[in-house]
């Protein structure tokens, strides 16, 4: 099994992580924009995102991790090759206290309809048990029930979350994410903007960890990552586990 990972302008971070995984039961190939490392299987080209995704779809690699490649180029080309107009990602996160959970949506253009919320619940429930994460789902909204009437956006958020929870057998936990995390392994944010803010607040300010965000509506394994992440080894391990 070969797992591909992209290395952009700051590719040194990627090579350092790959070297940690030398003893694992899979190989890692780095698709690099320019940097190389003699200790790693490296493919250097002008458009490494295209090379990696082409190899993913031709079967030369079993899974791909974005690493430090630019999001627009990489995800745009993934959409082009896959024929998928909207990529749905679920983020594997960990609190500073060690509690792991799945958060979705995390793309700012995702999760705005009840149908999308239902899709994210179903996608997340399929993969959560594989990683020892509870498949109990908490669907969040933009306020408490007592906030109804304060703003039309809040009213719509409450109604959408309640309907999505009823259809999927999930719990509508209102805006109380601090309670939802106690006994739910899957957290569905009110929309992609709030989901992205939760992700950034936890991982970039609050001392939490991001282990990668697999795209769940493709027939290939692709794990998205943030270029700000200090560690890509867990994303590579996640991609390997999803490929097995």
């Amino acid at each position: 099994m070969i797992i591909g990972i992209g290395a952009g302008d700051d590719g040194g971070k990627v090579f350092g992580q790959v070297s940690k995984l030398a003893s694992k039961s899979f190989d890692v190939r780095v698709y690099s924009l320019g940097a190389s490392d003699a200790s790693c299987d490296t493919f250097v080209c002008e458009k490494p995102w295209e090379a990696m995704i082409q190899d993913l779809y031709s079967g030369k690699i079993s899974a791909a991790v974005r690493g430090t490649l630019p999001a627009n180029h990489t995800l745009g080309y993934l959409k082009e090759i896959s024929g998928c107009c909207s990529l749905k990602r679920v983020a594997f996160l960990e609190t500073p206290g060690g509690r792991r959970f799945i958060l979705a949506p995390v793309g700012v253009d995702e999760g705005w309809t009840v149908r999308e919320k239902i899709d994210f619940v179903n996608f997340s429930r399929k993969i959560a048990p594989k990683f020892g994460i509870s498949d109990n789902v908490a669907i969040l909204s933009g306020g408490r029930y007592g906030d109804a009437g304060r703003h039309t956006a809040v009213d719509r958020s409450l109604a959408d979350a309640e309907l999505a929870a009823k259809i999927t057998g999930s719990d509508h936990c209102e805006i109380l994410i601090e309670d939802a995390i106690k006994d739910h392994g899957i957290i569905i944010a009110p929309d992609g903007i709030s989901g992205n803010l939760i992700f950034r607040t936890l991982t970039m300010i609050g001392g939490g960890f991001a282990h990668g965000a697999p795209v769940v509506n493709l027939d290939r394994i692709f794990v998205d990552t943030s270029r700000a992440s200090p560690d890509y080894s867990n994303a590579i391990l996640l991609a390997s586990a999803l490929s097995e």
Side-chain angles (χ1 to χ4, degrees):
M1 180 191 299
I2 301 175
I3 308 298
I5 184 169
D9 294 331
D10 50 353
K13 288 198 302 183
V14 172
F15 289 112
Q17 304 302 317
V18 170
S19 63
K20 295 180 182 179
L21 303 172
S23 62
K24 298 298 180 180
S25 59
F26 56 85
D27 296 319
V28 180
R29 178 175 300 155
V30 181
Y31 293 80
S32 175
L33 192 60
S36 62
D37 189 313
S39 65
C40 299
D41 176 8
T42 308
F43 183 80
V44 180
C45 62
E46 292 184 358
K47 297 179 178 180
W49 50 89
E50 292 189 3
M52 182 170 69
I53 292 169
Q54 287 170 3
D55 283 356
L56 176 64
Y57 272 81
S58 69
K60 292 181 180 178
I61 59 176
S62 300
V65 178
R66 179 161 71 92
T68 60
L69 292 177
N72 287 343
H73 291 318
T74 308
L75 300 181
Y77 192 69
L78 181 60
K79 289 180 181 179
E80 179 182 335
I81 294 298
S82 67
C84 183
C85 61
S86 177
L87 303 176
K88 289 181 166 57
R89 293 162 291 174
V90 301
F92 281 70
L93 303 179
E94 184 175 346
T95 67
R99 182 172 183 83
R100 295 189 177 189
F101 67 100
I102 291 173
L103 172 70
V106 289
V108 296
D109 58 340
E110 302 170 11
W112 290 87
T113 67
V114 172
R115 178 70 259 176
E116 285 185 289
K117 295 181 199 301
I118 293 169
D119 287 343
F120 277 116
V121 170
N122 292 334
F123 285 131
S124 299
R125 277 180 171 156
K126 287 180 181 178
I127 59 177
K130 185 179 181 69
F131 298 93
I133 295 174
S134 168
D135 61 0
N136 290 338
V137 179
I139 298 182
L140 303 180
S141 56
R144 297 174 183 246
Y145 285 119
D147 295 322
R150 294 178 62 180
H151 196 284
T152 54
V154 175
D155 294 352
R156 175 63 183 272
S157 178
L158 287 164
D160 285 356
E162 186 66 24
L163 179 57
K166 182 178 180 180
I167 292 172
T168 59
S170 305
D171 296 318
H172 175 201
C173 293
E174 305 171 68
I175 202 170
L176 304 174
I177 188 173
E178 68 276 17
D179 291 336
I181 194 64
K182 294 175 183 177
D183 49 11
H184 297 85
I186 300 167
I187 305 293
I188 305 298
D191 53 63
I193 292 177
S194 55
N196 195 276
L197 285 168
I198 292 168
F199 169 85
R200 290 176 176 275
T201 302
L202 175 65
T203 62
M204 298 180 186
I205 300 176
F209 306 94
H211 298 297
V215 179
V216 291
N217 61 331
L218 297 178
D219 61 356
R220 298 291 192 279
I221 305 300
F222 185 93
V223 176
D224 195 16
T225 52
S226 169
R227 282 186 287 177
S229 175
D231 189 335
Y232 296 98
S233 58
N234 282 330
I236 296 171
L237 291 170
L238 176 61
S240 172
L242 289 169
S243 300
E244 292 176 351

